[in-house]
Amino acid sequence: MTTAPHPLRFVGFVGNHNSSEIIPRQGPVVDRDYIEATAKAHEYGGFDAVLQAFHSDAPDSLQVSQHITSVTERLNVLIAHRPGFQAPTILARQFATLDQLSRGRTAINVITGAERAELARDGNTLEDKDDRYARTSEFLDIVRAEWTSQTPFDYQGRFYQVEQGFSLVKPYRESGIPVWIAGASQAAIDVAGRHADTFALWGETHDQVRELLSRVRAAAVRNNRPVPAFSLSLRPVLADTEEAAWAKADAIYEKAKALLDKTGFRRGDLPNNEGARRLLSIADQGHRHDTRLWTAIAGLTGAKGNSTSLVGTPDQVADALLDYYDLGVTTFLIRGFDPLPDSITYGRELLPRVRQLVAERERARAVAAE
């Protein structure tokens, strides 16, 4: 199966307040000034989009994303959503409405979830993870029908039933609202093969990334769908010299270790999330892999979310990102341990270098193909 090449994209992160593994939250849970400043910094720095996360105790990601689009002009929002707790017909109309208001700047990041305690806080009734992914697939069937159907439709599934569903509001663009899916279990891969426009994975070793991308490509072929774009999540640690960058990484680790209880990132039991287990499998073997991949924070926190880094000078980290680009990754979801100033540094020092390298690589490939 051949597919059109995917464009190079950079996605940042806008939290609801200033916090990280090394920064305990201070101030309001919904810090409007911080949200606005961080969103504008990403837009000014040349990011294509920013992620708004989903947690059972966090502010509503759709509403915060609406505010982000209202204070920016070009920045897209990747909005995390967990299926199973809201009717897919209603969610589809909410997303389509925001997509219209923002003139096509939304995407949905579908988070099925693996941790029982986190899911239980919102009233989850499905204990089996494969069942939850099956529910996610039905959820997306209905969401896409709401976005695309020109006439009322019925849907009879195991988890959802809809009679004469229909939405007057459709996505802003004819191509629709992009769907992102993440996960490393076979159930997650199967859902991605059926639904994903972009498949997201953590910052793993080259061998791990190569293996996972191969599985997703095969799943897309089985479903007779285009191969999705691939996104890799990383926490770049930059400095003027390589020695200074590794010293900075060591300082981040020591600060995170000292603040585990205050930040809430203390490592617990072995996670049920297959992606987190993959990260821990390499973190437990050592903290440095493939020259620049640093897994110390993943090992410290139990791989809670995006927790692996590339460490070096901007040129060195740009070269390391290009190695992943050569494997098939065209989207990089990056955020720092000091989120706002790091996003400014990335926009100034890292993004232009990677874009230049990719442009040179593509020109060379075009010449070679002539």
Side-chain angles (χ1 to χ4, degrees):
M1 174 183 293
T2 59
T3 58
H6 295 288
L8 176 67
R9 299 177 295 179
F10 288 97
V11 180
F13 176 79
V14 173
N16 300 300
H17 44 256
N18 189 27
S19 65
S20 75
E21 294 89 340
I22 63 171
I23 302 174
R25 179 182 66 82
Q26 295 179 344
V29 174
V30 182
D31 189 333
R32 177 171 172 164
D33 292 340
Y34 177 80
I35 291 168
E36 292 185 7
T38 309
K40 291 176 180 178
H42 279 84
E43 181 165 70
Y44 181 77
F47 281 80
D48 299 285
V50 289
L51 171 67
Q52 246 288 302
F54 182 103
H55 297 288
S56 63
D57 59 356
D60 182 70
S61 56
L62 260 171
Q63 294 185 64
V64 176
S65 295
Q66 190 280 328
H67 186 64
I68 291 171
T69 62
S70 75
V71 299
T72 58
E73 296 180 0
R74 302 175 305 279
L75 192 68
N76 288 265
V77 284
L78 173 60
I79 308 166
H81 179 77
R82 184 173 292 155
F85 305 95
Q86 186 175 3
T89 50
I90 295 173
L91 186 281
R93 295 197 297 276
Q94 289 176 323
F95 263 81
T97 300
L98 179 54
D99 200 53
Q100 286 287 340
L101 292 172
S102 66
R103 294 192 171 104
R105 289 194 280 150
T106 67
I108 182 170
N109 185 26
V110 179
I111 307 296
T112 296
E115 298 303 324
R116 183 189 181 282
E118 165 78 7
L119 293 161
R121 295 188 188 105
D122 280 331
N124 177 63
T125 58
L126 291 180
E127 293 297 327
D128 184 77
K129 188 170 70 172
D130 289 355
D131 283 345
R132 292 198 297 272
Y133 274 107
R135 180 176 64 187
T136 292
S137 187
E138 289 190 10
F139 185 94
L140 288 170
D141 284 341
I142 296 169
V143 166
R144 287 197 187 275
E146 283 274 310
W147 286 344
T148 61
S149 180
Q150 298 303 312
T151 58
F153 66 92
D154 294 336
Y155 187 91
Q156 292 295 319
R158 177 182 168 195
F159 303 99
Y160 297 104
Q161 296 80 42
V162 175
E163 295 181 7
Q164 296 296 284
F166 181 71
S167 175
L168 287 173
V169 58
K170 305 296 184 185
Y172 181 78
R173 304 184 193 284
E174 187 175 344
S175 57
I177 296 173
V179 173
W180 289 48
I181 293 175
S185 68
Q186 189 55 50
I189 300 299
D190 291 341
V191 173
R194 179 176 171 84
H195 294 285
D197 299 305
T198 296
F199 180 80
L201 59 155
W202 302 128
E204 300 184 332
T205 67
H206 296 160
D207 287 343
Q208 287 178 309
V209 169
R210 190 179 292 108
E211 180 267 339
L212 193 52
L213 265 57
S214 176
R215 291 167 59 196
V216 175
R217 290 186 179 109
V221 170
R222 289 196 300 272
N223 285 275
N224 196 31
R225 294 189 71 248
V227 173
F230 293 109
S231 171
L232 193 74
S233 298
L234 290 159
R235 311 284 290 277
V237 177
L238 306 179
D240 291 337
T241 67
E242 182 173 9
E243 181 181 10
W246 284 110
K248 184 178 178 180
D250 290 339
I252 288 170
Y253 177 82
E254 292 302 324
K255 190 169 187 179
K257 188 176 179 181
L259 293 175
L260 284 175
D261 292 324
K262 290 184 178 180
T263 59
F265 281 95
R266 179 171 291 280
R267 181 171 180 171
D269 297 332
L270 186 66
N272 293 324
N273 183 311
E274 182 63 25
R277 291 189 181 203
R278 287 165 64 97
L279 290 188
L280 290 178
S281 72
I282 58 170
D284 290 344
Q285 296 172 29
H287 292 169
R288 298 190 188 188
H289 305 268
D290 296 337
T291 307
R292 311 236 155 263
L293 184 65
W294 183 58
T295 60
I297 298 297
L300 181 68
T301 64
K304 292 183 178 179
N306 178 6
S307 54
T308 56
S309 303
L310 295 177
V311 180
T313 68
D315 284 332
Q316 289 172 330
V317 171
D319 285 336
L321 289 173
L322 201 68
D323 290 338
Y324 287 108
Y325 180 83
D326 289 339
L327 294 177
V329 174
T330 54
T331 297
F332 295 100
L333 199 164
I334 59 175
R335 62 185 177 99
F337 292 99
D338 195 355
L340 178 52
D342 282 348
S343 69
I344 296 171
T345 299
Y346 298 155
R348 183 179 62 245
E349 302 289 343
L350 184 60
L351 271 59
R353 283 171 162 84
V354 179
R355 289 190 171 115
Q356 180 181 355
L357 288 173
V358 167
E360 292 172 355
R361 180 64 51 87
E362 292 306 317
R363 282 196 295 269
R365 287 175 177 173
V367 170
E370 290 179 354

